[in-house]
Amino acid sequence: MFFIGILGIEDRRKTVKVIQNSVCKACNRLSSYELIKENTVFHLFFIPIFKWNKRYYLVSRCCNSIFQIPIEIGEEIENSKRQTIQDDDLEDVHINSSEVCINCGLNIEKSFQYCPRCGSRLK
């Protein structure tokens, strides 16, 4: 965030939608994605004047992997014109190297066979 008196420039992030019943590209589990819209904003007294550099991301709820999608597809999903996502549309930004315990939700290294918190089998 950058401020000059009453003017400022910052990146704003907003969760737009949750897409249910999708298969995660990173871990191949049935999960859901959060559609995140991010853009850079020039504001005056915290009132946005200009917006640019729009980006859309999908965050997988099962393993917290992050994928960037094209702006056109992100706008279609945001406006409910598109319901499904193809793996070819996803560009890997961050694939989580940990696994999430199905029982308690703890992030665990992929090499673990059992959850250290609840003891449930991971594989």
Side-chain angles (χ1 to χ4, degrees), residues 75-110:
E75 289 173 346
E76 288 176 1
I77 295 170
E78 183 179 10
N79 297 326
S80 299
K81 294 180 182 176
R82 185 177 184 149
Q83 300 297 324
T84 59
I85 301 161
Q86 305 299 323
D87 282 348
D88 298 338
D89 299 332
L90 304 175
E91 178 184 330
D92 299 339
V93 174
H94 171 71
I95 294 182
N96 200 345
S97 61
S98 65
E99 191 169 321
V100 177
C101 175
I102 298 170
N103 191 34
C104 69
L106 180 69
N107 282 333
I108 307 163
E109 290 183 30
K110 286 194 176 206

Side-chain angles (χ1 to χ4, degrees), residues 15-30:
T15 300
V16 178
K17 198 174 218 178
V18 175
I19 302 162
Q20 299 289 336
N21 300 328
S22 298
V23 177
C24 178
K25 181 182 176 182
C27 64
N28 293 324
R29 291 185 184 164
L30 183 61

Side-chain angles (χ1 to χ4, degrees), residues 17-120:
K17 198 174 218 178
V18 175
I19 302 162
Q20 299 289 336
N21 300 328
S22 298
V23 177
C24 178
K25 181 182 176 182
C27 64
N28 293 324
R29 291 185 184 164
L30 183 61
S31 181
S32 58
Y33 287 114
E34 285 185 30
L35 178 65
I36 307 289
K37 180 180 180 180
E38 189 175 84
N39 54 23
T40 306
V41 177
F42 173 74
H43 57 83
L44 173 69
F45 288 114
F46 301 102
I47 300 170
I49 305 298
F50 299 110
K51 293 181 183 179
W52 71 95
N53 200 17
K54 184 176 11 175
R55 301 168 301 278
Y56 285 96
Y57 298 98
L58 291 172
V59 179
S60 174
R61 286 193 168 173
C62 58
C63 63
N64 293 325
S65 296
I66 302 170
F67 304 98
Q68 186 170 3
I69 58 174
I71 293 171
E72 302 82 29
I73 295 173
E75 289 173 346
E76 288 176 1
I77 295 170
E78 183 179 10
N79 297 326
S80 299
K81 294 180 182 176
R82 185 177 184 149
Q83 300 297 324
T84 59
I85 301 161
Q86 305 299 323
D87 282 348
D88 298 338
D89 299 332
L90 304 175
E91 178 184 330
D92 299 339
V93 174
H94 171 71
I95 294 182
N96 200 345
S97 61
S98 65
E99 191 169 321
V100 177
C101 175
I102 298 170
N103 191 34
C104 69
L106 180 69
N107 282 333
I108 307 163
E109 290 183 30
K110 286 194 176 206
S111 62
F112 286 19
Q113 293 183 359
Y114 294 92
C115 176
R117 181 189 290 164
C118 68
S120 64

